[in-house]
């Protein structure tokens, strides 16, 4: 028997980092708040991300087979909120947010983040309303130390 309240409560107890995922397709770039991320392998280094299937960013990842994750700190909640609605790049900014393009993937990376990883897609699972993309980490840089932003640090709920 599935108890919807128990399921919702328990799934919301899973820790969810809030980061910005940068994607590209051709010359078009986009960024969105990513709340489903986990490490999936040590050798080779891989992560798994969950992306809504009906989003433009999902289509861009499928087409380009690359993405970048910029890791936010606890002070960047406003940035995470801004990117809940996907942001298109204009020049070198997403609105007021500066970014650069990753050397390995060409995906946008937030310059004020804790750091970033760039990934090449190695597989995907397209079930339910989100797809899981398995990405091999091909580049990374740590800009600074800090406390990562987690969903539990906000009043928001996404999951369950």
């Amino acid at each position: 028997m599935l108890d919807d309240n128990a399921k919702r409560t328990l799934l919301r107890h899973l820790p969810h980092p809030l980061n910005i995922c940068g994607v590209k397709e051709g010359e078009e770039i986009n960024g969105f708040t990513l709340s489903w991320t986990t490490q999936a392998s040590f050798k080779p280094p891989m992560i798994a991300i969950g992306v809504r299937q009906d989003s433009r960013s999902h289509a861009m990842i499928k087409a380009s087979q690359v993405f970048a994750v910029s890791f936010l700190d606890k002070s960047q909640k406003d940035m995470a909120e801004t990117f809940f609605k996907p942001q298109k790049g204009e020049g070198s900014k997403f609105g007021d947010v500066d970014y650069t393009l990753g050397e390995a993937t060409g995906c946008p990376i937030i310059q004020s983040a804790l750091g970033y990883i760039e990934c090449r897609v190695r597989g995907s699972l397209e079930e339910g309303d989100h797809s899981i993309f398995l990405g091999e980490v091909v580049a990374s840089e740590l800009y600074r130390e800090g406390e990562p932003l987690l969903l539990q640090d906000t009043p928001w709920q996404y999951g369950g």
Side-chain angles (χ1 to χ4, degrees), residues 98-111:
D98 292 327
Y99 71 88
T100 188
L101 297 177
E103 290 183 22
T105 63
C107 292
I109 296 165
I110 305 299
Q111 293 179 310

Side-chain angles (χ1 to χ4, degrees), residues 1 5 9 26 30 40 42 46 49 59 63 66 77 83 85 95 98 100 103-104 108 112 133 135 137 151 159:
M1 173 176 83
N5 287 330
T9 299
N30 197 4
F42 291 115
M46 290 194 271
I49 64 171
V66 292
K77 185 179 89 161
F83 280 84
K85 179 180 178 190
D98 292 327
T100 188
E103 290 183 22
S112 62
F133 289 102
V137 178
L151 187 61

